Amino acid sequence: MRDAGGARRRPWLRHGLLLAAWALPACIVPDAHIDVRGEFVNPGTVRLIQSVPITSTAHAACRDVDPQLPSCPTPPETLPFGRIDLSQPFCVCAGGDNNALSYFDIYVEDPDLDDDGHPKDSILAALLLDMPSATADPTPYLAYQNILPSTLPAALVGLGAGAYADAIDRPEPVVRRWTLGTDHGVDLCNDNAAAPDGKLTPGLHSLRVIVTDRPWYRPFEYGPDGMVVLDADGEPVRVDATAATVGVPDLPGGATYSVADYVFRCRDGLDPDAGCNCAEEM
């Protein structure tokens, strides 16, 4: 499984991801004057999950814990994170790529429940293409909104008995998912709505998926003195929701987040030696 994330509340940050990038090589400085209360409380972190190889010894150990289990509980199989390595190449093609991926799921879990035992948080996701490691604003790298809209919450999944639902030594996971490419599959090289004509340039590409359990970050209002504007209760005032920075988790608002990465190569469909399987242009 791949997971990452954590929640921070105060002090209020001008830009969470940029500060996080700066902090990585530096010393850890303790937070001061933290006031965690009300809507800022977020005890459970969101996690991206996927199946991992399990040895026969591990399966036997799981059955020792619960003889009713046929195997260790793992999430359903889906496209593995990391390098997308298929036997047939992906290609930039005028009429689309016949080697495009079939539909696949992205799974997340978040343990936070309301008083009725229902999932409490809406989980959002964004796909970021070829984004540098230290980026103040991911907006220029937002990609494939036609495949995974950044405003679409993940749907609850019923995994059933004998699956990931049978967690060992922890509460039953609350799993949700997005299904990408339900109608026509996922043509990574030719179907990015953010690219000219939907097409990527030939070469190696990275694709990051980021998920969060709060709405995307909205910046604060600043007064003429350059200070954050506070309301009557002493809380910072946010700008309108339409100014949300998609791809940036709202750390000051108590968000947690998780990221995972894919790497894939697009070949030139006009190259006779690339081994492409291009569809005819309509």
Side-chain angles (χ1 to χ4, degrees):
M1 301 178 187
R2 294 281 302 275
D3 69 277
R8 296 187 63 190
R9 283 78 183 179
R10 294 184 180 178
W12 306 302
L13 307 180
R14 183 185 295 268
H15 205 299
L17 283 188
L18 179 58
L19 292 182
W22 285 345
L24 285 178
C27 298
I28 298 175
V29 179
D31 289 315
H33 309 296
I34 296 177
D35 181 15
V36 180
R37 56 187 170 83
E39 63 179 342
F40 293 101
V41 176
N42 190 2
T45 58
V46 66
R47 303 194 314 142
L48 282 157
I49 58 174
Q50 66 172 190
S51 291
V52 296
I54 303 293
T55 66
S56 58
T57 301
H59 284 308
C62 290
R63 288 192 293 270
D64 288 341
V65 174
D66 185 349
Q68 301 300 317
L69 291 176
S71 60
C72 290
T74 58
E77 293 288 344
T78 186
L79 182 69
F81 300 138
R83 187 177 69 173
I84 302 176
D85 188 13
L86 302 179
S87 58
Q88 300 295 328
F90 296 147
C91 294
V92 180
C93 302
D97 188 0
N98 284 329
N99 290 339
L101 291 169
S102 179
Y103 72 90
F104 64 92
D105 297 312
I106 295 176
Y107 290 96
V108 295
E109 64 174 275
D110 185 283
D112 294 329
L113 304 174
D114 61 20
D115 293 339
D116 296 322
H118 300 140
K120 184 178 180 180
D121 300 330
S122 292
I123 312 300
L124 301 176
L127 294 172
L128 303 169
L129 182 69
D130 296 334
M131 187 179 72
S133 57
T135 301
D137 183 5
T139 303
Y141 308 99
L142 187 63
Y144 302 104
Q145 287 264 43
N146 52 315
I147 297 174
L148 179 59
S150 58
T151 57
L152 178 66
L156 188 65
V157 177
L159 295 177
Y164 193 55
D166 294 319
I168 298 175
D169 292 335
R170 71 178 179 120
E172 179 179 332
V174 182
V175 177
R176 281 169 274 186
R177 73 181 173 200
W178 297 271
T179 301
L180 280 60
T182 302
D183 297 327
H184 306 291
V186 179
D187 190 346
L188 291 171
C189 298
N190 302 281
D191 195 20
N192 174 21
D197 299 325
K199 301 186 184 302
L200 274 58
T201 57
L204 192 65
H205 296 278
S206 65
L207 182 63
R208 168 163 293 185
V209 54
I210 178 169
V211 301
T212 184
D213 54 3
R214 291 291 186 271
W216 299 111
Y217 174 78
R218 288 179 295 128
F220 300 113
E221 290 188 8
Y222 290 86
D225 58 357
M227 302 298 291
V228 174
V229 176
L230 303 180
D231 62 17
D233 297 322
E235 298 294 336
V237 177
R238 304 286 188 119
V239 300
D240 188 80
T242 56
T245 306
V246 175
V248 178
D250 188 12
L251 302 185
T256 71
Y257 68 97
S258 180
V259 298
D261 295 283
Y262 300 98
V263 178
F264 63 96
R265 184 179 297 277
C266 292
R267 301 185 184 277
D268 187 348
L270 299 178
D271 182 355
D273 298 323
C276 295
N277 183 18
C278 292
E280 292 186 8
E281 188 174 6
M282 301 298 292

